[in-house]
Amino acid sequence: MKIVFMGTPEFAAVSLRHLIEEGHQVVLVVTQPDKQKNRGRKVVYSPVKEVALENKIPVIQPVKLQSDHAALEALRKAHDEAEIGVVVAFGQILPEEVLEMPRLGYINVHGSLLPKLRGASPIQTAILLGEEPTGVTVMKVEKGLDCGDMLSKSEISVGGRTAGELEHEMADVGARLLTETLEKFYDITPQPQNEDEATYCSTISKEDGHIDFRKSAESIERMTRAYNPWPGTYAKIKNNLYKFWKIESINDTRISNVGNPSESFLPGEIVFVGKDMFTVACGEKGNERLNVLEIQAPGKKRMKTGDFLRGNRLEVGELFR
């Protein structure tokens, strides 16, 4: 097929590469504007733009598509040739006039089993909520938030993976599902979503990574995986911010190894310091435990907790807030 492709991050770049490898003709790529990063303010292209340039595909980068007349005109010309549009993690809402341009409309690769987890953070939210399984859906793009008719689905196990690990697999599964859907496009009967089963997820901010130790050990462990690699989970001791990269929740049979469960501890209080980890009280009453296995101290790199403890001192009774 001849395609207009819209996408920005590596998750989308995987689909674009796969479309090209499978022989589809991508006539135009639409991606977010270049960014300047780090102190040198070096201009960084999106992963999708990198793939487009490698394959000599024209690229446009509107700041806001619906008000960029030059971009809209470029899309009209592209859709004189391309019969379908593909969207994968583009980062902008498509105006209705764009959705109507291609003869076959636009389709989207979404990182959940719709109608569950419509919105901007389906992978992270699936981990936070303990969803099992999750998956990828290819759907038609319609006016509204991820509400279009579904064309295909593929389930993926969450297991104990981080958002980064899960996203890597989802990108590959989504890319394959996309090309399979395009191959069978005319034989597929679109399935409407059940609005009664719809759930939603919101955009993640850096502040979401702050750990509230009044929550259960299980929910904090999920949070640590959901926000890895970004924004990370963190808490402070005496205004020093520590990032928690890997923790494990401790079930009842192991609590006796890390403090007397009959003692009263505050949520966030360090109750045990060993050679390779330390243990923090959590839960509404401070009666649950979690072991910190990987940590990042202020101004330092991420490291195993055992390596951190060999050069730093934490005391039982200190309180993470």
Side-chain angles (χ1 to χ4, degrees):
M1 281 189 176
K2 292 184 178 180
I3 296 167
V4 166
F5 185 90
M6 297 187 182
T8 300
E10 180 60 27
F11 184 87
V14 174
S15 284
L16 178 57
R17 288 190 197 98
H18 201 63
L19 286 171
I20 296 167
E21 290 167 0
E22 291 297 309
H24 293 280
Q25 185 179 345
V26 180
V27 302
L28 180 68
V29 162
V30 188
T31 190
Q32 296 278 51
D34 302 333
K35 293 184 178 180
Q36 291 182 324
K37 288 191 175 181
N38 303 323
R39 293 181 181 178
R41 309 302 292 169
K42 181 180 178 181
V43 175
V44 178
Y45 296 161
S46 75
V48 162
K49 182 177 179 178
E50 294 278 7
V51 175
L53 294 178
E54 288 169 9
N55 290 276
K56 298 180 172 55
I57 302 170
V59 179
I60 60 173
Q61 299 176 266
V63 174
K64 193 171 184 181
L65 181 57
Q66 63 183 3
S67 60
D68 190 322
H69 300 296
L72 291 172
E73 184 58 31
L75 276 170
R76 287 189 193 96
K77 290 181 179 179
H79 280 304
D80 287 341
E81 184 179 1
E83 62 257 60
I84 196 167
V86 172
V87 185
V88 186
F90 173 45
Q92 295 187 38
I93 295 174
L94 303 191
E96 200 165 358
E97 64 176 302
V98 171
L99 297 179
E100 294 173 351
M101 287 180 185
R103 179 170 60 85
L104 300 177
Y106 271 83
I107 64 173
N108 172 251
V109 179
H110 184 75
S112 78
L113 297 175
L114 291 171
K116 285 186 176 182
L117 302 181
R118 296 173 176 175
S121 58
I123 297 174
Q124 295 90 340
T125 306
I127 296 172
L128 287 171
L129 297 179
E131 294 280 346
E132 187 63 64
T134 187
V136 180
T137 304
V138 177
M139 64 171 182
K140 288 189 170 185
V141 182
E142 298 175 4
K143 189 177 179 181
L145 182 62
D146 299 327
C147 60
D149 289 352
M150 300 176 293
L151 301 173
S152 57
K153 285 185 178 183
S154 183
E155 292 187 354
I156 298 171
S157 174
V158 175
R161 287 182 286 185
T162 66
E165 293 166 342
L166 191 56
E167 182 174 319
H168 182 76
E169 180 177 353
M170 277 193 171
D172 289 334
V173 171
R176 291 195 298 272
L177 188 64
L178 172 62
T179 54
E180 290 169 6
T181 303
L182 289 172
E183 288 168 8
K184 303 173 183 177
F185 190 83
Y186 292 101
D187 298 321
I188 295 173
T189 301
Q191 300 295 316
Q193 296 187 40
N194 185 340
E195 291 297 322
D196 293 336
E197 296 177 357
T199 61
Y200 296 85
C201 51
S202 58
T203 302
I204 294 169
S205 69
K206 188 174 180 180
E207 290 70 28
D208 291 328
H210 179 251
I211 299 173
D212 180 354
F213 287 96
R214 292 171 297 180
K215 293 182 177 179
S216 70
E218 182 182 28
S219 65
I220 296 172
E221 189 275 334
R222 288 177 184 168
M223 178 181 173
T224 304
R225 290 188 288 114
Y227 296 154
N228 182 347
W230 192 88
T233 50
Y234 61 89
K236 293 181 179 180
I237 288 181
K238 300 174 182 176
N239 290 323
N240 291 317
L241 186 148
Y242 293 85
K243 285 194 171 184
F244 293 68
W245 288 110
K246 186 176 181 181
I247 66 172
E248 63 176 357
S249 58
I250 306 173
N251 61 36
D252 291 342
T253 62
R254 298 178 58 191
I255 284 181
S256 59
N257 296 326
V258 291
N260 187 341
S262 65
E263 291 186 58
S264 177
F265 294 107
L266 293 173
E269 185 175 353
I270 298 175
V271 300
F272 176 80
V273 179
K275 290 184 178 180
D276 298 319
M277 57 83 178
F278 61 89
T279 305
V280 181
C282 60
E284 193 74 33
K285 299 179 180 179
N287 59 348
E288 296 186 48
R289 306 285 184 271
L290 55 85
N291 287 338
V292 180
L293 305 179
E294 291 185 21
I295 193 169
Q296 185 174 355
K300 303 293 183 179
K301 293 182 178 180
R302 169 181 175 173
M303 64 182 72
K304 292 182 178 179
T305 301
D307 295 332
F308 165 79
L309 290 172
R310 278 187 276 278
N312 299 271
R313 189 175 182 85
L314 289 177
E315 300 283 353
V316 170
E318 288 188 295
L319 190 65
F320 281 104
R321 298 183 184 273

